[in-house]
Amino acid sequence: MSVDQLRATAAAAAPRWNPTMAWNNQLRQLSKQRQYREALTLYRHMLRSSFFPNAFTFPFLLKSCAFLSLPLTASQLHAHVIRTGCQPDPYTRSSLINTYSKCSLPHHARKVFDEMPNPTICYNAMISGYSFNSNPLDAVELFRQMRREENGLNVNVNGVTLLSLVSGCSVATHLTIGACLHGCVVRFGFGADLAVENSLVTMYVKCGEVELARRVFDEMPVRDLITWNAMISGYAQNGHARSVLEVYGGMKLSGVSADAVTLLGVLSACANLGAQGIGCEVEREIERCGFGQNPFLRNALVNMYARCGNLTRAREVFDCLGEKSVVSWTAIIGGYGIHGRGEVAVDLFDEMVESGVRPDETVFVSVLSACSHAGLTDRGLEYFEEMEMKYSLQPGPEHYSCVVDLLGRAGRLEEAVDLIRSMKVKPDGAVWGALLGACKIHKNVELAELAFQHVVELEPTNIGYYVLLSNIYIDDNNLEGVLRVRVMMRERKLRKDPGCSYVEYKEKCTFFTQGI
């Protein structure tokens, strides 16, 4: 229905109903249908038709401003709120607070909040605003103020309050605050609130504490799709691929149907494990659920098949993509690169550029790595130079580590060292680790010791670098050097990780370890 039709409907309804109510009903309808611009347009028609808004009008309009991020329009509506005397209405005020917060103007939201005494709904809106703008300390301080005023008739802590507080703790530095809020959830008796419990799982996942997230997850009496997705995505993002498949299996047994987010996390785990059989099952599930045209899932399928070594199937899925984004190209280029098909990878990169897709930093990592694995040294150096000169992209440590590996494999170790010393960013462990690996290939003990000295300062607990230097000493028959490395490992209480392998049978992965 067009705005003109809605306007006619509202005008026709005016003689029978309260005129403003008729307009408000149309605004509500547009808001429910997410036609936010149309709602604002209808409001202008309402004013031009000499109808006046009331307290029920503004929440729909302010919601539109929040979703469209229109701070100037929100300010104009705020003026209308004041002129019509609707400011004391708690729903209008909470909508103003929410809108200013969503427009990244929490100080404006706080001014609205501070103008008069606030009921619970306004406290919750302001706390949510602080959390949305990554200000958990301000949110907690306001929560304390809310607790001091809780004896009042209109102020009380509820599930929405705690949900807003917990959702603001999204990085590792907020973990202590999040853990304290977890205690508040238990203390105030919201441990059985599904939305609050889901927010706790998500909070621990975002803070990198997947074990704590799993503990909350296991204690939940009821789990919905959001719960399962939070746990699956959390394991996938933190590199626990085996646990992703375990949780996904439990989800299927529980009878909860997967959505696109679920399957995306599972495909990521299959790619990391090389579990092609389970990945094929997921592809069938994608088609069965009607997600076949989802671009994120299609790209994930390309990546999964490519990482599993099935380049033929990866290319088939890639070629069937309607619109190929830079993510699509990165997946297929990276797949050919890691399996030693560097010539195909660079041809695909050139084809991508010719198709009009602008390369980003991630696809440059893939093509530089492909050149390194295929021994295309000069081609890789050309791409590295083009990255800054042609595309104005600043190389990061991940690009330098690829180029150091590229030069190192070609035996150009001194050039690799010069490149590291000329870096515009601080070299990380991967850069020095690439040089250390090159020294192993070319048996250069002197440069290996230099690289190791730097890499253990940056990653002192990475056992792989100690093992690599020890092997370099063994190749050089330097038993004294081997002994020094082993003493260093013992002093730092480091142990070599056991070898791990798996067998995929009947769409299940069985894992084996050796050397514990």
Side-chain angles (χ1 to χ4, degrees):
M1 186 179 290
S2 69
V3 171
D4 290 337
Q5 290 172 317
L6 288 170
R7 180 187 177 190
T9 303
R16 298 192 300 272
W17 299 344
N18 179 317
T20 301
M21 184 183 297
W23 289 96
N24 288 349
N25 286 338
Q26 302 304 326
L27 289 171
R28 181 188 296 109
Q29 180 181 345
L30 289 171
S31 181
K32 284 184 176 180
Q33 295 172 352
R34 296 180 176 269
Q35 299 183 44
Y36 301 120
R37 293 192 185 278
E38 290 80 357
L40 295 172
T41 301
L42 183 65
Y43 177 64
R44 295 188 188 99
H45 286 308
M46 176 182 176
L47 296 178
R48 290 169 188 158
S49 301
S50 299
F51 291 97
F52 295 97
N54 59 22
F56 295 99
T57 310
F58 293 110
F60 306 122
L61 300 170
L62 290 166
K63 177 182 177 182
S64 299
C65 292
F67 273 90
L68 297 172
S69 190
L70 299 173
L72 181 58
T73 305
S75 297
Q76 292 171 338
L77 287 171
H78 190 177
H80 289 199
V81 168
I82 296 171
R83 287 178 59 189
T84 55
C86 295
Q87 198 168 15
D89 179 70
Y91 294 97
T92 301
R93 293 182 62 232
S94 66
S95 296
L96 277 169
I97 292 168
N98 180 65
T99 300
Y100 279 131
S101 299
K102 291 289 179 63
C103 292
S104 301
L105 296 171
H107 51 290
H108 284 28
R110 187 58 190 254
K111 285 181 181 178
V112 175
F113 179 85
D114 288 337
E115 284 174 351
M116 58 187 69
N118 294 284
T120 299
I121 188 174
C122 293
Y123 268 102
N124 288 349
M126 193 66 247
I127 289 171
S128 177
Y130 279 134
S131 294
F132 180 82
N133 286 279
S134 302
N135 295 324
L137 293 177
D138 291 331
V140 170
E141 184 58 37
L142 188 60
F143 175 63
R144 289 173 177 165
Q145 179 182 326
M146 183 181 185
R147 291 281 292 131
R148 289 193 294 269
E149 298 181 10
E150 195 173 6
N151 293 328
L153 295 177
N154 295 321
V155 180
N156 63 288
V157 175
N158 57 25
V160 177
T161 313
L162 293 167
L163 181 64
S164 301
L165 284 164
V166 173
S167 64
C169 301
S170 56
V171 294
T173 53
H174 299 159
L175 179 60
T176 302
I177 299 174
C180 293
L181 292 173
H182 189 175
C184 291
V185 168
V186 176
R187 178 184 173 187
F188 291 119
F190 291 100
D193 187 307
L194 182 59
V196 175
E197 290 288 276
N198 285 342
S199 71
L200 285 171
V201 174
T202 303
M203 179 269 293
Y204 281 124
V205 161
K206 288 183 176 179
C207 292
E209 294 291 338
V210 288
E211 291 182 3
L212 292 176
R214 184 58 185 266
R215 191 179 304 172
V216 176
F217 176 86
D218 288 338
E219 292 174 356
M220 292 175 67
V222 179
R223 305 183 187 103
D224 62 3
L225 178 62
I226 296 173
T227 318
W228 290 100
N229 281 352
M231 203 67 249
I232 287 172
S233 299
Y235 275 134
Q237 292 163 11
N238 287 276
H240 299 276
R242 292 169 57 182
S243 298
V244 170
L245 300 185
E246 176 216 332
V247 174
Y248 178 57
M251 180 181 179
K252 290 193 292 184
L253 290 174
S254 73
V256 176
S257 298
D259 68 356
V261 176
T262 316
L263 300 175
L264 198 62
V266 177
L267 283 174
S268 173
C270 292
N272 289 331
L273 290 172
Q276 185 179 176
I278 300 174
C280 290
E281 178 195 352
V282 172
E283 184 178 15
R284 291 191 291 272
E285 184 74 5
I286 289 170
E287 297 300 329
R288 188 184 68 80
C289 295
F291 301 138
Q293 300 307 310
N294 185 303
F296 300 102
L297 288 173
R298 303 302 292 176
N299 289 337
L301 280 170
V302 174
N303 181 61
M304 184 273 295
Y305 280 120
R307 294 280 295 274
C308 291
N310 190 344
L311 296 175
T312 302
R313 180 58 185 153
R315 188 62 183 266
E316 288 174 357
V317 177
F318 175 80
D319 289 338
C320 290
L321 291 173
E323 183 178 348
K324 299 178 178 68
S325 67
V326 68
V327 177
S328 315
W329 289 99
T330 301
I332 195 69
I333 290 169
Y336 278 106
I338 61 176
H339 293 290
R341 303 282 298 278
E343 294 83 357
V344 180
V346 297
D347 288 344
L348 282 167
F349 181 85
D350 294 340
E351 183 182 338
M352 178 193 75
V353 173
E354 290 172 5
S355 71
V357 175
R358 183 179 176 82
D360 64 4
E361 291 89 344
T362 306
V363 75
F364 267 109
V365 172
S366 295
V367 75
L368 288 172
S369 177
C371 291
S372 175
H373 284 86
L376 303 174
T377 308
D378 294 334
R379 193 75 173 271
L381 293 174
E382 287 175 13
Y383 286 136
F384 184 68
E385 184 178 351
E386 284 181 3
M387 185 179 174
E388 191 168 7
M389 301 296 293
K390 186 175 180 179
Y391 298 104
S392 301
L393 297 173
Q394 185 65 42
E398 63 276 14
H399 303 99
Y400 280 103
S401 66
C402 288
V403 178
V404 169
D405 185 59
L406 181 78
L407 293 169
R409 287 173 184 263
R412 297 158 66 171
L413 297 178
E414 294 298 333
E415 290 182 56
V417 173
D418 292 340
L419 178 67
I420 295 173
R421 288 172 176 162
S422 67
M423 283 176 60
K424 297 177 182 178
V425 294
K426 183 179 179 180
D428 63 4
V431 173
W432 290 108
L435 180 62
L436 184 62
C439 292
K440 170 71 168 64
I441 296 171
H442 299 286
K443 298 180 171 52
N444 191 318
V445 178
E446 183 180 351
L447 278 183
E449 291 175 337
L450 171 68
F452 181 78
Q453 178 183 347
H454 287 282
V455 79
V456 291
E457 290 178 2
L458 296 165
E459 299 181 27
T461 60
N462 191 326
I463 190 70
Y465 296 130
Y466 296 86
V467 174
L468 189 54
L469 182 63
S470 178
N471 290 338
I472 291 171
Y473 282 138
I474 290 172
D475 291 342
D476 192 50
N477 293 319
N478 187 342
L479 299 182
E480 183 180 345
V482 174
L483 182 60
R484 282 201 309 270
V485 173
R486 291 182 178 176
V487 169
M488 194 181 303
M489 292 171 61
R490 191 177 300 112
E491 289 175 348
R492 299 181 183 185
K493 298 180 180 179
L494 300 175
R495 291 184 60 189
K496 183 179 178 181
D497 294 331
C500 178
S501 185
Y502 74 93
V503 173
E504 188 180 2
Y505 180 66
K506 291 187 177 180
E507 298 176 344
K508 290 185 179 180
C509 286
T510 302
F511 292 85
F512 304 92
T513 57
Q514 182 176 359
I516 298 177

